């Protein structure tokens, strides 16, 4: 249980912890590369710690700096160096879909058998989306209960490349296939209805893999896809003999975590907040585009571009209006839709969120759960098959919020609480540890007079 009430002023600077998607990949790819990789600003949240524990169980030495747990060293053993103590090896993937799905692509071509299983929420999420393409590549992967969900049993086998058309724009699906493609015979291609986050392509390229993503039907050079265009795209990878550590990876701040601070700064009356060093990869920056379309005042400062582009975001109280969020932008803000719905409830006019049926298969059914909780706070919202219609402008009042153990619901409604009248109670705030263990400390650190 966690109690929150309205904030009158929000001021100061916040440094957001490392990006969850990039932290997972940094551990995964460092583990199967030759050499030592130093990872800075690694996200020490429950999900990323699940990935770390799985690779330790697969025989990889990973050391945390005693003075700073976000500074880790991974001693990679090469593409064929994973060496579990037993086969099958049982891997606990906790609440993490990213761990389960991407690791399946890495484990499918190994010489041992793995069983991947997580908590009740994870074990009810759809896995057919990776089982199907991996099986087409020659993988031996079964759902132990026959329900298309984890536990997954993967018996290592030889793989061959495929040319796969994914129905959903999912970076987890794409990444599982690309990772398997590293080990497969021939070229592997994945087509997506619109480009999902490209962290795998960027990072595998930094490890020496021959990989790229491009808009469908164009002859654009590697990295030339226009994610802001939102059109169909494909990613391709060639098999590799070995990956080589780039030495160091610095993980940018997570824009999905920054989203709560962007929303809070827009909604709280007297707010000006600097959110430092946030990743603004164009396949992830849909929050910035959608919030600006709603009238959010966001200024980018100190931009820098290494493997991943980053900037400070300076956000202040904004007068928001409704908008339409749908089409190709959805994969670039899929995790931010719950907090965008909160912003929409307090914006003038109607907001339509569409083409976002994927929300139903996240850590909770986020269409149902956002609708239930915003209604409890007095919002005028209707759930649809692929999103929500929110008629904004009515004040929100405090309520009891059911998070269903979903971190993004807890954090979105913590923001709603700051902009609502009266007291809001989250039934469970501990789920924030999945992606942002210090969330409440960081948020309340900005609330003046809290
Ligand atoms: C992620 C991809 C997204 C996102 C998830 C992290 C990733 O899922 O919702 O939080 O790291 O690849 P999908 O790929 O299933 O859309």
């Amino acid at each position: 249980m966690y109690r929150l009430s309205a904030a009158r002023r929000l001021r100061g600077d916040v440094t957001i912890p490392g990006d969850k998607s990039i932290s997972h990949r940094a551990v995964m790819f460092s583990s199967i590369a030759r050499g030592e990789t130093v990872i800075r600003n690694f996200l020490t949240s429950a999900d990323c710690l699940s990935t770390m524990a799985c690779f330790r169980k697969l025989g990889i030495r990973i050391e945390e700096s005693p003075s700073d747990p976000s500074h880790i060293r991974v001693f990679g053993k090469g593409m064929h160096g994973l060496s579990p103590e037993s086969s099958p090896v049982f891997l606990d993937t906790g609440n993490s879909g990213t761990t389960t799905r991407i690791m399946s692509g890495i484990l499918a071509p190994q010489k041992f058998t793995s069983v991947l299983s997580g908590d009740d929420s994870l074990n009810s999420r759809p896995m057919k989306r990776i089982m199907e393409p991996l099986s087409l590549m020659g993988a031996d992967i079964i759902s132990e209960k026959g329900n298309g969900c984890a536990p997954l049993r993967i018996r290592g086998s030889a793989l061959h490349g495929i040319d796969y058309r994914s129905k959903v724009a999912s970076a987890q699906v794409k990444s599982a296939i690309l990772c398997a493609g590293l080990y497969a015979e021939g070229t592997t291609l994945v087509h997506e209805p619109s480009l999902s986050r490209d962290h795998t392509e960027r990072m595998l390229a930094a490890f020496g893999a021959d990989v790229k993503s491009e808009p469908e039907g164009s002859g654009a050079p590697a990295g030339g896809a226009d994610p802001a265009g939102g059109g169909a795209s494909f990613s391709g990878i060639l098999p590799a003999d070995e990956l080589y550590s780039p030495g160091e990876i610095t993980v940018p701040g997570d824009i999905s975590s920054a989203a709560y601070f962007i929303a809070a700064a827009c909604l709280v009356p007297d707010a000006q907040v600097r959110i430092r060093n946030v990743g603004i990869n164009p396949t992830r920056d849909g929050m910035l585009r959608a919030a600006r379309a709603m009238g959010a005042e966001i200024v980018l400062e100190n931009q820098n571009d290494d493997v991943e582009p980053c900037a400070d975001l300076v956000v202040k109280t904004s007068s928001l209006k409704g908008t339409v969020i749908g089409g190709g932008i959805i994969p670039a803000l899929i995790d931010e839709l719950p907090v965008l719905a909160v912003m929409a409830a307090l914006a003038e006019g109607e907001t339509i969120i569409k083409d976002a049926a994927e929300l139903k298969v996240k850590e909770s059914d986020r269409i149902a759960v956002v609708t239930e909780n915003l209604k409890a706070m007095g919002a005028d919202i209707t759930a649809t098959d692929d999103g929500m219609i929110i008629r904004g402008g009515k004040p929100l009042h405090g309520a009891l919020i059911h998070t269903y153990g979903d971190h993004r619901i807890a954090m979105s409604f913590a923001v709603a609480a700051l902009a609502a009248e009266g007291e809001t109670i989250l039934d469970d705030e501990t789920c924030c540890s999945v992606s942002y263990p210090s969330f409440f400390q960081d948020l309340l650190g900005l609330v003046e007079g809290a």
Side-chain angles (χ1 to χ4, degrees):
M1 290 266 248
Y2 199 85
R3 293 167 190 277
L4 291 136
S5 45
R8 282 188 300 275
R9 204 160 185 254
L10 209 65
R11 293 274 158 164
D13 287 18
V14 60
T15 302
I16 300 293
D19 186 277
K20 180 158 81 71
S21 294
I22 298 175
S23 295
H24 281 298
R25 288 160 173 81
V27 167
M28 292 178 187
F29 305 158
S30 304
S31 295
I32 57 165
R34 287 236 163 256
E36 178 186 330
T37 306
V38 173
I39 306 175
R40 295 183 201 282
N41 204 33
F42 174 74
L43 175 64
T44 55
S45 75
D47 266 14
C48 298
L49 294 178
S50 293
T51 292
M52 198 155 106
C54 288
F55 278 93
R56 282 185 168 140
K57 218 165 167 194
L58 292 166
I60 301 298
R61 179 153 69 99
I62 304 176
E63 286 178 3
E64 290 151 77
S65 156
S67 59
D68 178 2
S70 75
H71 183 162
I72 64 171
R73 277 169 200 275
V74 181
F75 297 85
K77 298 205 298 193
M79 281 181 55
H80 301 279
L82 299 179
S83 53
E85 272 180 11
S86 63
S87 176
V89 54
F90 292 92
L91 299 167
D92 180 359
T93 57
N95 190 245
S96 178
T98 309
T99 311
T100 312
R101 296 198 177 110
I102 304 184
M103 279 191 78
S104 296
I106 294 176
L107 294 168
Q110 302 297 331
K111 291 203 160 49
F112 50 85
T113 297
S114 318
V115 178
L116 295 170
S117 183
D119 65 16
D120 290 347
S121 153
L122 188 276
N123 286 356
S124 63
R125 294 180 64 189
M127 292 296 153
K128 273 197 187 134
R129 52 181 60 199
I130 52 143
M131 292 170 64
E132 180 187 284
L134 292 176
S135 301
L136 289 170
M137 296 178 82
D140 181 350
I141 175 168
I142 57 158
S143 157
E144 286 203 319
K145 293 194 174 146
N147 60 356
C149 299
L152 299 177
R153 179 174 287 261
I154 305 174
R155 200 136 50 100
S157 48
L159 304 184
H160 50 81
I162 48 168
D163 184 348
Y164 189 71
R165 272 185 196 280
S166 179
K167 285 197 251 345
V168 285
S170 159
Q172 296 179 356
V173 171
K174 173 178 67 176
S175 301
I177 300 170
L178 293 177
C179 287
L182 275 174
Y183 292 84
E185 207 187 303
T187 308
T188 298
L189 293 174
V190 190
H191 304 260
E192 297 187 282
S194 47
L195 183 65
S196 64
R197 63 193 68 190
D198 65 357
H199 305 306
T200 294
E201 292 93 317
R202 285 172 184 257
M203 200 184 292
L204 280 178
F207 278 84
D210 197 344
V211 55
K212 62 182 177 183
S213 51
E214 287 183 2
E216 196 81 73
S218 95
D226 174 17
S233 74
F234 72 93
S235 300
I237 196 162
L238 293 177
D241 292 329
E242 209 51 283
L243 298 178
Y244 295 96
S245 169
E248 247 183 63
I249 295 173
T250 300
V251 180
D254 195 325
I255 191 165
S256 298
S257 299
Y260 307 107
F261 293 83
I262 296 172
C266 287
L267 296 174
V268 169
D270 183 11
Q272 169 136 357
V273 173
R274 175 180 295 270
I275 314 166
R276 291 196 184 277
N277 199 38
V278 179
I280 51 164
N281 177 320
T283 61
R284 285 286 296 286
D285 72 349
M287 175 70 193
L288 299 182
R289 287 184 266 147
R292 279 177 165 158
M294 296 177 81
E297 294 190 45
I298 306 172
V299 176
L300 269 51
E301 291 182 2
N302 299 327
Q303 292 198 45
N304 59 82
D305 194 347
D306 194 0
V307 174
E308 292 276 349
C310 296
D312 288 357
L313 311 178
V314 181
V315 191
K316 57 183 182 187
T317 312
S318 310
S319 117
L320 300 179
K321 59 181 191 311
T323 189
V324 177
I325 306 174
I329 197 173
I330 294 295
L333 48 62
I334 186 75
D335 292 335
E336 290 68 77
L337 285 170
V339 79
L340 278 163
V342 168
M343 290 169 73
L346 290 159
E348 276 309 318
E350 187 177 78
T351 294
I352 299 174
I353 298 174
K354 57 182 186 177
D355 307 317
E358 277 293 295
L359 287 174
K360 294 182 187 164
V361 291
K362 295 295 177 187
E363 287 84 329
S364 68
D365 174 346
R366 289 181 179 159
I367 294 180
V369 173
V370 167
T371 303
E372 174 193 325
N373 285 315
L374 271 179
K375 269 190 182 157
M377 295 185 84
D380 185 351
I381 174 169
T382 308
T384 64
D385 272 352
D386 65 349
M388 296 158 235
I389 299 171
I390 303 154
R391 289 157 291 270
K394 281 172 70 182
L396 296 182
H397 55 74
L400 172 64
I401 299 300
H402 297 284
T403 65
Y404 295 91
D406 183 339
H407 55 135
R408 303 220 181 272
I409 298 299
M411 293 188 276
S412 298
F413 282 87
V415 171
L418 297 185
E421 286 157 22
E423 188 182 63
T424 296
I425 303 173
L426 305 179
D427 66 348
D428 166 32
E429 78 290 0
T430 58
C431 51
C432 294
S433 64
V434 157
S435 64
Y436 197 163
S438 61
F439 172 72
F440 288 100
Q441 200 183 316
D442 291 354
L443 184 67
L444 297 182
L446 300 176
V447 178
E448 292 201 354

